Amino acid sequence: LGSRQSCALQKMGKRKSSKKIIKKERPKVITIFNCPFCNHERSVEVKMKRTESRAEARCRTCSANYATTINKLSAPIDIYCEWVDECQKLNPADEVADVQDDDASEVASDDD
């Protein structure tokens, strides 16, 4: 093949169309939650200090706070859930008493 023919073959092909890259929107990670103590909506903010390996959740209304250590995979929802779990561990008697009171009232109403 001569140089003219090789040039002609290269020009005969179609131009490659560039596809538009569509970026998917990532869901945003929630960092503001409801307070487990004062029950205000969207009042607890979680701040992650990855350089110090610490995280803190603090209520803007009642100033309740919780601090813990974190790792690279920790997310704000993890810190909030740990805080709620710790609250439930410290106050199991309140939940048990509420359930027992409900059961007692049901039994009393059945006897009538």
Side-chain angles (χ1 to χ4, degrees):
L1 294 174
S3 63
R4 284 187 176 175
Q5 289 178 347
S6 65
C7 286
L9 291 175
Q10 290 176 354
K11 291 182 182 178
M12 291 179 64
K14 292 183 178 180
R15 290 185 182 175
K16 293 184 179 179
S17 61
S18 60
K19 291 185 178 180
K20 293 182 181 178
I21 299 173
I22 300 172
K23 292 185 179 180
K24 295 180 182 177
E25 291 186 26
R26 288 184 173 179
K28 293 186 178 182
V29 178
I30 299 171
T31 59
I32 299 176
F33 306 96
N34 301 339
C35 181
F37 293 104
C38 66
N39 293 325
H40 275 88
E41 291 185 8
R42 300 178 50 83
S43 63
V44 174
E45 186 174 12
V46 177
K47 293 188 179 181
M48 310 282 282
K49 298 177 184 175
R50 295 207 184 270
T51 56
E52 300 174 14
S53 296
R54 303 276 307 155
E56 182 178 5
R58 180 181 299 272
C59 177
R60 288 182 244 149
T61 307
C62 67
S63 300
N65 64 351
Y66 175 76
T68 186
T69 58
I70 59 172
N71 58 29
K72 292 179 182 179
L73 301 176
S74 296
I77 186 72
D78 298 327
I79 308 309
Y80 179 73
C81 289
E82 284 181 26
W83 186 21
V84 172
D85 291 343
E86 287 294 321
C87 292
Q88 290 177 350
K89 283 181 186 176
L90 295 175
N91 299 322
D94 295 338
E95 293 176 19
V96 173
D98 291 340
V99 172
Q100 288 176 349
D101 290 342
D102 292 340
D103 292 342
S105 64
E106 288 177 13
V107 171
S109 64
D110 291 340
D111 292 338
D112 293 336

